[in-house]
Amino acid sequence: MPMWAWPLLEMLDHGRENARKINDNTYQGTTWQIKFKLDNVDQKGNYKLRVAVASATLAELQVRVNDPNTNRPVFSSGLIGRDNAVARHGIHGLYWLYSVDILGALLVQEGDNTIYLTQPRSQSPWQNLMYDYIRLEGPPI
């Protein structure tokens, strides 16, 4: 790890996000929320969000910062995976590592910041992804 890569937020987990069934036998995408505070924000700096996806099945990963309703995400993976994440067949999948640039101007110093990770695809309950690792790094010092 380079000396400037200060972890501001780090999560090790095996979280999974599936398309969710709603009342009329259809499905909708789902969103994780990661809430955190920052003591200092470099408004002109570039932050780096690293997301490792352990498995994905006909899914998409979208990243938004502090506004879940923006039409255009900060990042979108596009359609990824045929790994059967629901069954957790780890030996059958690919490991995806994404490095997402986040402008400091999107972050707030006072109050909560929220990173929204969305899996929007929803044609079936099998469209899902499973993350392994999430880390937010500050800009170079």
Side-chain angles (χ1 to χ4, degrees):
M1 174 174 67
M3 292 301 289
W4 53 265
W6 297 102
L8 302 173
L9 167 71
E10 194 164 33
M11 297 172 61
L12 288 171
D13 198 353
H14 298 287
R16 183 175 65 216
E17 200 60 48
N18 301 339
R20 292 189 181 157
K21 189 173 186 177
I22 53 179
N23 294 341
D24 57 355
N25 287 329
T26 59
Y27 298 89
Q28 66 182 18
T30 55
T31 300
W32 290 296
Q33 293 183 33
I34 304 168
K35 296 183 181 225
F36 60 98
K37 294 183 187 298
L38 293 174
D39 293 333
N40 296 302
V41 174
D42 181 351
Q43 293 288 310
K44 294 181 182 178
N46 287 312
Y47 290 72
K48 186 73 72 174
L49 178 69
R50 303 203 190 267
V51 180
V53 174
S55 187
T57 304
L58 301 173
E60 178 180 355
L61 173 64
Q62 294 179 351
V63 176
R64 289 177 174 80
V65 178
N66 287 329
D67 184 357
N69 300 315
T70 59
N71 288 332
R72 191 168 191 194
V74 173
F75 170 81
S76 174
S77 67
L79 181 65
I80 57 172
R82 296 188 179 274
D83 302 347
N84 198 359
V86 169
R88 292 186 174 219
H89 290 167
I91 62 171
H92 299 289
L94 294 175
Y95 194 81
W96 307 78
L97 178 61
Y98 296 104
S99 295
V100 179
D101 290 324
I102 296 177
L103 299 174
L106 295 175
L107 300 169
V108 296
Q109 187 164 317
E110 304 216 1
D112 286 333
N113 286 284
T114 306
I115 294 176
Y116 298 92
L117 302 176
T118 300
Q119 195 299 102
R121 309 246 173 184
S122 59
Q123 288 76 31
S124 84
W126 309 113
Q127 291 179 284
N128 48 65
L129 59 87
M130 182 170 39
Y131 74 86
D132 185 48
Y133 179 82
I134 300 170
R135 175 184 177 125
L136 179 64
E137 297 174 356
I141 297 175

